Amino acid sequence: MKIASRTFKEQMVTKNKFYPRFLTFISAIAFLFLLVKPEDVKAQPQFEFPTLEVMSGESFCIEVKTEDFTDLLTIDFVITWDPNVIQFTGVQNLSPLVDDFDMSDFDQSDVSNGRLRLSWADLDMMGVDIDPSLEPYSLFEICFTNIATFGQSSPICIETDPVPVITRSGTGGTNIGLTQVKGLIGTDVLPVTFILEDENVEKGDFFCVDFR
């Protein structure tokens, strides 16, 4: 049995029925975007570790600094380094601007393996702000002794496993994540870093790249 296809007129009627609904949907999405004010869009907090040279055998402390510390409710992450290069000796100078922040927020049980856990929560669950005019702001200091020999170095940064957890008021407990500036501790000198520039080339092209 041959089934007749819809006529052009029937197709246009169907399209005309769908088109207003489509416009309504697009308009609703646009309206939702208009409701989001620029001041409501807040960046992820950033945590910054320094890069510096330290003499072999020297004791030193580094500042862990932060930016975009806005309405934060909880922080939970692990800071890591090479324990064969720098040896943990303590934490000090905790920020007085962060409510409920004290030494009990640091788990030092695994520092011999180069891992220090920070687990902080704002107990009144209102969210803590640090004035942007103070940024980058020193959140706390970690102290070490350099036990390495000339030329050895250790990165220091926040581990990605376990996943860092940061929550902010008004987000329903969602993990908003973080950004970080990783640090490096060099013994007497910093490692030499070479950078190759990216180039877009075609097959068969003769080309050069910048080597810095």
Side-chain angles (χ1 to χ4, degrees):
M1 178 187 298
K2 183 177 181 180
I3 301 175
S5 62
R6 291 186 301 172
T7 65
F8 176 76
K9 182 177 181 181
E10 289 172 332
Q11 293 177 21
M12 290 303 296
V13 168
T14 301
K15 289 182 179 180
N16 287 337
K17 286 181 180 178
F18 169 75
Y19 190 63
R21 296 177 184 175
F22 176 73
L23 286 180
T24 301
F25 173 76
I26 293 299
S27 299
I29 295 297
F31 179 71
L32 289 175
F33 275 105
L34 290 174
L35 289 178
V36 179
K37 301 177 183 178
E39 58 267 26
D40 293 334
V41 180
K42 299 170 184 174
Q44 293 173 306
Q46 177 165 286
F47 298 88
E48 303 168 6
F49 300 86
T51 293
L52 69 160
E53 301 171 15
V54 180
M55 300 290 289
S56 179
E58 181 180 351
S59 295
F60 65 99
C61 299
I62 64 166
E63 291 183 309
V64 178
K65 295 185 176 182
T66 184
E67 297 186 45
D68 297 309
F69 199 105
T70 308
D71 296 330
L72 297 193
L73 293 175
T74 64
I75 296 172
D76 192 354
F77 56 63
V78 173
I79 298 169
T80 186
W81 60 88
D82 185 346
N84 296 312
V85 175
I86 52 177
Q87 186 177 71
F88 174 88
T89 58
V91 175
Q92 65 181 28
N93 293 337
L94 278 60
S95 168
L97 298 184
V98 179
D99 295 341
D100 308 309
F101 189 32
D102 57 42
M103 290 300 299
S104 66
D105 296 320
F106 292 90
D107 179 358
Q108 303 182 28
S109 62
D110 203 22
V111 293
S112 61
N113 293 315
R115 301 177 81 253
L116 173 69
R117 184 169 188 167
L118 169 60
S119 185
W120 164 84
D122 177 25
L123 299 181
D124 64 11
M125 300 303 289
M126 297 297 292
V128 173
D129 287 308
I130 292 179
D131 187 344
S133 67
L134 301 175
E135 296 175 346
Y137 181 76
S138 180
L139 193 59
F140 59 93
E141 295 181 1
I142 312 176
C143 299
F144 301 94
T145 297
N146 189 336
I147 58 174
T149 57
F150 181 88
Q152 290 184 297
S153 63
S154 170
I156 182 163
C157 60
I158 295 170
E159 280 191 344
T160 55
D161 183 17
V163 175
V165 177
I166 310 290
T167 61
R168 170 178 283 148
S169 63
T171 61
T174 300
N175 181 13
I176 63 171
L178 57 81
T179 61
Q180 66 170 313
V181 176
K182 297 181 179 181
L184 183 67
I185 309 300
T187 306
D188 300 311
V189 295
L190 290 173
V192 176
T193 302
F194 296 102
I195 302 173
L196 288 174
E197 296 291 338
D198 293 331
E199 298 289 346
N200 294 318
V201 298
E202 299 293 335
K203 184 177 180 180
D205 286 352
F206 177 81
F207 66 95
C208 300
V209 296
D210 290 332
F211 186 80
R212 298 186 286 114

